[in-house]
Amino acid sequence: MKIFKRTSSVWVMGIAVLATSCSPKFTEEDKGDHTLVNNIGGKTLGYNKTSGVKLLTVDQYAFKDLNKDGKLDAYEDWRLSADDRAIDLAHKMSLEDIAGLMLYSSHQSIPARGSRFGPVTYNGKPFEESGAMASDLSDGQKQFLNEDHVRHVLVTSVENPSVAAQWNNNAQAYVEGLGLGIPVNTSSDPRHGSDSYAEFNAGAGGDISMWPGTLGIAASFDPGLMRQFGEIASEEYRALGISTALSPQIDLGTEPRWSRFSGTMGEDPDLATDMARAYVDGFQSSGKDQGWGYQSVNAMVKHWPGGGPEEGGRDGHFGYGAYAVYPGNNLMDHLKPFTEGAFKLEGSTKMASAVMPYYTISFGRDKKNGDNVGNAFNQYLITDLLRGQYGYDGVVCTDWGVTRDVTAVDLFEGKSWGVETMTVAERHYKVIEAGVDQFGGNNDMGPVLEAYRLGVADHGELFMRQRYETSAVRLLKNIFRVGLFENPYLEVAETEKIVGNPEFMKAGYDAQLRSIVMLKNQKNTLPIKTRQKVYVPQRYIAASKNWFGMETPEKTEYPFNMEVLAKYFEVVYNPKDADFALVGIQSPDGGVGYDREDLAKGGNGYVPISLQYAPYSAMDARATSLAGGSPLEDFTNRSYKDKTITSSNVTDMKMVNDTKKEMGTKPVIVIVNISKPMVFSEVEVNASAIVVHMGVQDQALMDIISGAAEPSALLPFQMPADMKTVEEQFEDVPRDMRPYVDSEGSSYDFAFGLNWKGVIDDARVSKYK
């Protein structure tokens, strides 16, 4: 380490200042791909000497000359507030700089090996042929960083933590040499899910700590656990170079058929509000004052004003799910996790730094203009309600692809609901007019510049420049507050120590144990003594297609990691030889609510979404849908009344019931991986014990089954008695179904769960139920 003395003329705010000959209050250390500068009593800096950035010495401290003009500008002065620095930098930015800042890249994997969006190259060749390192920037990444001025990048899969850290350093060095030296703000969707087959070993590390999803953590009914997750996850994120989380999803799960139900924090407004606040506080708070700092991660809460009340449960990624409806006139409950949770934090960051509106048209909610358009296009919902009534001045970023074209209601294309007939540039302009700052999933600044020109024609150059600078300031503040302008670089060795370290792995595993709900325990079937003989039937999985049309062939496999299972029990392959059976199933997969075969037969294409396994006929469905009118359809009534659907995993029901016949009077334990509420009447009577989870390691399930851990979680949502109550409930109203009552007399209602002593009735139940 060397200590440098500097005696040179520098500029402060455009004024020449002669640095004194006193010893500087900083040290420099070569870290290989970057230089680390420690300002004693000040901010730590990091820069790449090949980028052209030099150090300026002012008042004996070091500052980075990011725009390479030989003077200290306000945005380069780490002693100033994030607000002042952002305002200064926004003034200096060209229109192209701001347009690029208003973009959020499409999904990037590291390394990129091609995707459904097209081929990816490195030096003109596919990755495997290029000789590139996994951490190198692809040609496309260099292009959108340089030519389109993009500075917000969404990273999906990474090869490993070391590659992620080195890619971050490469990307930061690349943009540091461009223009004003604005660093990359890398983001991620949630990435701490559990691998069911992975084995947990105390003292062992992993690629990243594994936790239940937010619905599973919500089942603990403990906001403190959610806060712990946020604190650990944010530390791992920053070690990977991720400074913005595209989470949490705080939509209320009031519509039980919604495909994104599993990403919520349940259906109760009070529980979801407390969980949302804890999540954001955990991610954003840093240091003793719980304010912004190097460990902070911006939280982008989604989806304003609540994506839960989808008509019939159909999802807004597709035109058939474009409408959120409010038969109970209950928008307020859906706002509460935002306005009372994410916007009223306990830490000094005060509120979530970013908000994402959902794709949906919040039908009939625009009380000012009556504009039934997607939420990101709706000026009333963004400017009047979010910013005006609730005083939110953070970043608002569209969900991915809302400005793209769309040709059919069932294709995964653009999601420009309500504005399908506009041009791409007109959609960008309407988003900006609504009060939104950023476009998710767009690497091309061209339409943002076209939108500017449309605005100039309507309002004049001065107005539009001020409007774009307003968004730029909001976006820049989020980059300043997490310290990226000072030191965006990582030390790979430190990343390897932090991400997935044993302490974090144990915390995640303990959280998994606390997320598992026991619904039934007939005659104290559980816990089962270890080394007893267990029979596990194999599970049939039907062929399927995902959202992108990619096919998965049918297969039959064991529902658990049998190597893990064998460490607890003796596995036998004949039910006659077993002491008990362990049956692993998934909640019913009752479709998406749309079927082209129905359309081909003369129907409207709309079919029920079922929460039961057996064939379901929607005799109690609405005769007339609450919403409709897409220009992609020549009708408005989307009703599916009297139509029939069968869940694709109907064989799960058969497997439970067949196993009961084979086992006779011996116990049958059913473990259900729940992605949304389900009708239990089809399988419950043939189960001696029922355990449900929202995504955990098989080992955690075995610890519960064997009694190594005691179940303590509660249902964060209701289990419906039947599909009639599902059809009769209101999409926007929580806890309005008749819950299922099992053969033991237990009601599978919100906040229900069992431990070894019976029904749990503690302070959590009193508080939330």
Side-chain angles (χ1 to χ4, degrees):
M1 184 182 297
K2 297 180 180 179
I3 296 179
F4 294 83
K5 291 185 178 181
R6 299 178 182 269
T7 54
S8 60
S9 178
V10 298
W11 289 76
V12 184
M13 309 276 187
I15 302 174
V17 177
L18 183 65
T20 68
S21 60
C22 298
S23 296
K25 297 179 180 178
F26 64 90
T27 60
E28 293 187 52
E29 184 176 0
D30 185 0
K31 292 292 184 178
D33 62 358
H34 66 282
T35 298
L36 201 64
V37 182
N38 179 31
N39 279 299
I40 301 168
K43 299 289 187 181
T44 298
L45 312 180
Y47 72 105
N48 186 296
K49 289 186 176 180
T50 65
S51 69
V53 167
K54 307 291 185 184
L55 289 184
L56 303 173
T57 305
V58 178
D59 296 334
Q60 301 170 260
Y61 290 111
F63 301 84
K64 293 194 293 184
D65 186 12
L66 289 167
N67 61 1
K68 310 166 194 67
D69 66 351
K71 62 182 181 181
L72 181 63
D73 297 285
Y75 86 92
E76 298 165 337
D77 190 344
W78 45 259
R79 298 169 299 184
L80 301 179
S81 70
D83 287 35
D84 289 342
R85 298 174 73 186
I87 292 170
D88 177 68
L89 179 52
H91 283 323
K92 290 179 167 60
M93 295 173 72
S94 67
L95 179 60
E96 290 74 18
D97 287 331
I98 296 177
L101 194 69
M102 294 171 73
L103 304 178
Y104 225 124
S105 84
S106 59
H107 298 68
Q108 304 294 310
S109 58
I110 302 170
R113 291 186 169 91
S115 70
R116 67 183 186 88
F117 300 107
V120 178
T121 60
Y122 291 76
N123 298 318
K125 297 179 180 179
F127 175 74
E128 292 78 6
E129 302 172 15
S130 66
M133 302 288 288
S135 56
D136 287 349
L137 301 184
S138 69
D139 296 337
Q141 289 163 357
K142 291 178 182 177
Q143 177 178 330
F144 68 63
L145 290 172
N146 184 12
E147 297 179 19
D148 289 290
H149 302 253
V150 173
R151 289 299 179 272
H152 294 82
V153 179
L154 171 58
V155 168
T156 54
S157 61
V158 297
E159 188 168 282
N160 57 54
S162 299
V163 167
Q166 190 57 60
W167 182 89
N168 170 81
N169 288 1
N170 293 341
Q172 300 296 2
Y174 183 75
V175 298
E176 192 173 80
L178 301 176
L180 295 163
I182 300 172
V184 170
N185 179 8
T186 302
S187 70
S188 173
D189 282 312
R191 59 192 316 116
H192 280 83
S194 298
D195 177 357
S196 63
Y197 270 55
E199 185 174 358
F200 171 75
N201 294 297
D207 281 345
I208 198 165
S209 61
M210 288 186 281
W211 297 70
T214 50
L215 187 60
I217 298 177
S220 73
F221 278 57
D222 179 8
L225 183 62
M226 188 71 82
R227 172 71 183 252
Q228 182 192 31
F229 164 69
E231 291 170 347
I232 289 175
S234 64
E235 191 169 344
E236 291 185 305
Y237 271 28
R238 291 308 300 265
L240 292 167
I242 297 166
S243 47
T244 293
L246 300 187
S247 57
Q249 182 188 336
I250 59 177
D251 308 296
L252 277 189
T254 53
E255 169 45 62
R257 294 163 290 189
W258 187 31
S259 63
R260 298 192 70 178
F261 190 99
S262 61
T264 73
M265 297 176 181
E267 66 176 307
D268 183 73
D270 293 331
L271 179 62
T273 294
D274 290 348
M275 289 291 176
R277 184 187 305 110
Y279 186 112
V280 178
D281 263 327
F283 267 82
Q284 292 190 170
S285 299
S286 179
K288 293 181 180 179
D289 66 350
Q290 295 295 287
W292 292 107
Y294 284 118
Q295 294 304 317
S296 296
V297 172
N298 292 293
M300 185 181 290
V301 293
K302 56 188 186 184
H303 304 86
W304 179 265
E310 306 261 9
E311 183 162 21
R314 301 182 296 270
D315 182 64
H317 279 81
F318 296 88
Y320 56 67
Y323 299 102
V325 294
Y326 300 84
N329 195 28
N330 189 35
L331 177 64
M332 293 306 297
D333 272 350
H334 294 266
L335 299 183
K336 190 173 180 179
F338 296 90
T339 60
E340 300 297 316
F343 299 168
K344 290 186 178 179
L345 303 180
E346 293 177 355
S348 57
T349 65
K350 296 183 180 179
M351 61 174 57
S353 64
V355 170
M356 180 187 293
Y358 202 39
Y359 296 121
T360 46
I361 297 169
S362 295
F363 198 72
R365 293 306 98 184
D366 185 342
K367 303 302 183 183
K368 181 179 180 181
N369 306 306
D371 203 6
N372 280 316
V373 293
N375 295 320
F377 301 97
N378 194 297
Q379 188 176 65
Y380 169 76
L381 292 176
I382 304 302
T383 294
D384 295 335
L385 191 64
L386 176 61
R387 297 205 187 279
Q389 184 172 335
Y390 293 108
Y392 185 78
D393 193 38
V395 167
V396 178
C397 176
T398 75
D399 212 330
W400 264 232
V402 302
T403 56
R404 297 178 195 149
D405 290 330
V406 58
T407 60
V409 297
D410 63 337
L411 296 181
F412 195 84
E413 301 175 313
K415 292 127 182 66
S416 47
W417 315 137
V419 293
E420 294 92 338
T421 59
M422 288 184 175
T423 67
V424 172
E426 287 170 343
R427 292 177 199 138
H428 280 75
Y429 181 40
K430 189 168 179 64
V431 166
I432 292 167
E433 289 267 271
V436 175
D437 305 298
Q438 196 168 32
F439 300 90
N442 183 4
N443 300 353
D444 179 12
M445 71 175 176
V448 186
L449 297 178
E450 288 186 58
Y452 183 87
R453 289 189 283 271
L454 292 174
V456 169
D458 285 347
H459 303 290
E461 184 88 33
L462 178 61
F463 177 92
M464 287 306 294
R465 174 69 198 194
Q466 291 175 339
R467 172 64 188 86
Y468 271 47
E469 282 195 25
T470 297
S471 286
V473 169
R474 292 179 183 137
L475 291 159
L476 289 169
K477 283 196 290 187
N478 286 357
I479 305 177
F480 278 113
R481 289 189 293 212
V482 297
L484 290 176
F485 274 90
E486 278 60 70
N487 182 26
Y489 294 95
L490 302 171
E491 295 185 38
V492 175
E494 284 299 306
T495 293
E496 292 171 346
K497 291 178 184 178
I498 292 171
V499 180
N501 71 57
E503 178 186 351
F504 292 172
M505 296 296 287
K506 184 179 187 305
Y509 187 77
D510 289 345
Q512 292 179 50
L513 294 173
R514 294 181 59 189
S515 73
I516 298 168
V517 185
M518 183 166 68
L519 295 180
K520 184 178 181 180
N521 195 20
Q522 186 179 61
K523 297 180 181 179
N524 295 319
T525 299
L526 298 179
I528 295 282
K529 293 180 180 179
T530 58
R531 307 322 310 163
Q532 289 204 48
K533 296 178 180 179
V534 61
Y535 167 66
V536 181
Q538 288 191 309
R539 180 172 182 260
Y540 171 75
I541 303 173
S544 63
K545 287 184 180 180
N546 67 9
W547 278 1
F548 312 122
M550 297 173 62
E551 296 186 3
T552 300
E554 66 175 4
K555 59 183 176 179
T556 301
E557 64 183 16
Y558 284 108
F560 308 108
N561 183 333
M562 299 304 284
E563 292 183 5
V564 169
L565 191 68
K567 294 183 178 181
Y568 292 80
F569 309 106
E570 180 183 345
V571 178
V572 297
Y573 300 95
N574 189 325
K576 295 179 181 179
D577 300 329
D579 298 311
F580 72 101
L582 193 59
V583 184
I585 62 176
Q586 305 272 343
S587 53
D589 184 354
V592 298
Y594 191 87
D595 186 357
R596 281 207 170 190
E597 290 187 10
D598 178 78
L599 195 65
K601 293 176 182 177
N604 62 1
Y606 290 86
V607 295
I609 297 175
S610 179
L611 300 183
Q612 66 182 41
Y613 294 108
Y616 164 62
S617 295
M619 294 180 293
D620 298 300
R622 295 183 184 110
T624 304
S625 65
L626 297 178
S630 168
L632 302 171
E633 296 172 328
D634 59 3
F635 56 87
T636 58
N637 187 6
R638 294 180 162 197
S639 174
Y640 51 83
K641 183 175 172 57
D642 297 330
K643 295 180 182 178
T644 300
I645 190 170
T646 302
S647 290
S648 63
N649 60 334
V650 62
T651 50
D652 279 359
M653 176 184 69
K654 185 176 185 299
M655 181 169 63
V656 172
N657 298 333
D658 287 351
T659 302
K660 175 59 180 175
K661 292 177 184 178
E662 294 171 327
M663 293 297 293
T665 60
K666 292 184 287 189
V668 175
I669 300 167
V670 177
I671 296 179
V672 192
N673 187 340
I674 294 282
S675 60
K676 61 176 81 168
M678 63 177 281
V679 176
F680 264 97
S681 58
E682 299 169 304
V683 296
E684 177 271 320
V685 69
N686 285 324
S688 309
I690 298 175
V691 171
V692 302
H693 68 98
M694 282 68 88
V696 299
Q697 293 168 253
D698 290 343
Q699 185 175 350
L701 295 170
M702 296 310 115
D703 276 347
I704 293 289
I705 297 299
S706 67
E710 183 174 11
S712 63
L714 306 167
L715 284 178
F717 50 86
Q718 295 178 307
M719 294 293 185
D722 49 39
M723 282 302 297
K724 178 178 173 61
T725 191
V726 172
E727 295 290 2
E728 292 174 346
Q729 59 88 36
F730 286 169
E731 286 92 336
D732 60 326
V733 176
R735 297 167 56 177
D736 62 339
M737 295 189 293
R738 283 183 296 107
Y740 177 71
V741 178
D742 72 10
S743 57
E744 300 287 293
S746 296
S747 177
Y748 294 181
D749 203 350
F750 173 78
F752 172 76
L754 302 173
N755 58 21
W756 302 143
K757 295 178 182 178
V759 177
I760 299 171
D761 186 13
D762 57 18
R764 298 172 300 162
V765 177
S766 299
K767 179 176 181 179
Y768 291 107
K769 187 171 183 180

